[in-house]
Amino acid sequence: MNMLIRLLVVACLVLPFAACKKAEAPKVEAQAAIPLPTSSEQKDWKPYLEYKLTPHMGGITSSPFVYFLPKSDVEDFAGKYQRQLEKLEGDLGRGIIEGNMLVFASPDSEKEVEMIEAAFKSVPAGSMKGVKVIFIGTGVLGERVKAAVEPAGVNYIFEEAK
């Protein structure tokens, strides 16, 4: 009986110390900065866009709508611009609901901004609450985008292209 009591006392003293081992915090690896692509190829922009968008994905329930225009010197740029504008206008016309993200990036940011301004003119005020709009470009153009999209009630996020 004495032996049993001693074992219980020892177990009571050792068990709390064994259970108190703190769990190690998960190691967060910092993602290396990805430089701004210089090409017009969308495939070259994909890793850069993932790098820029990952911090903003909280609350997003589906894949982002990404609108990308190549440089204006590529073959059939006018056609690509027109198709992208029609796609954006169609998406906005159907309605973008809360939990979605629209992303705008281009090596020709000026034309991208013109497209955004044209498409958002017909969006009813306050109709896109809970939708994130991310523009990747320069600060001056970012202010133009902000003025064009904020009346729709979006959560506007500017990411500097660098």
Side-chain angles (χ1 to χ4, degrees):
M1 186 71 156
N2 259 349
M3 182 63 123
L4 183 58
I5 293 174
R6 287 182 192 162
L7 287 174
L8 286 174
V9 169
V10 169
C12 287
L13 293 174
V14 173
L15 190 59
F17 292 108
C20 284
K21 182 178 178 184
K22 292 185 178 180
E24 292 182 26
K27 294 180 181 177
V28 178
E29 294 182 28
Q31 186 178 8
I34 296 177
L36 180 68
T38 56
S39 78
S40 280
E41 296 295 321
Q42 193 167 2
K43 66 178 178 58
D44 295 337
W45 280 73
K46 187 176 181 195
Y48 178 75
L49 292 175
E50 288 175 359
Y51 165 71
K52 287 291 197 176
L53 299 180
T54 300
H56 305 293
M57 291 302 290
I60 301 303
T61 57
S62 62
S63 295
F65 293 83
V66 179
Y67 302 92
F68 176 82
L69 280 175
K71 290 180 184 175
S72 58
D73 61 357
V74 300
E75 185 178 329
D76 190 33
F77 177 79
K80 291 178 182 190
Y81 174 86
Q82 190 60 40
R83 286 188 294 278
Q84 189 76 270
L85 176 59
E86 289 169 3
K87 180 183 181 323
L88 177 57
E89 288 174 334
D91 292 343
L92 293 174
R94 280 189 298 282
I96 307 290
I97 60 171
E98 184 174 345
N100 282 285
M101 177 188 288
L102 305 177
V103 179
F104 298 95
S106 175
D108 191 344
S109 296
E110 180 70 36
K111 290 300 283 183
E112 187 88 0
V113 172
E114 288 175 21
M115 182 183 74
I116 294 166
E117 291 171 331
F120 270 84
K121 283 181 183 177
S122 61
V123 176
S127 65
M128 294 178 62
K129 291 190 186 309
V131 174
K132 289 183 183 179
V133 172
I134 298 180
F135 173 72
I136 301 171
T138 63
V140 172
L141 294 176
E143 288 302 313
R144 282 179 51 195
V145 172
K146 182 178 182 179
V149 302
E150 279 194 334
V154 303
N155 176 10
Y156 175 69
I157 301 167
F158 169 73
E159 276 286 337
E160 186 175 3
K162 57 180 177 177

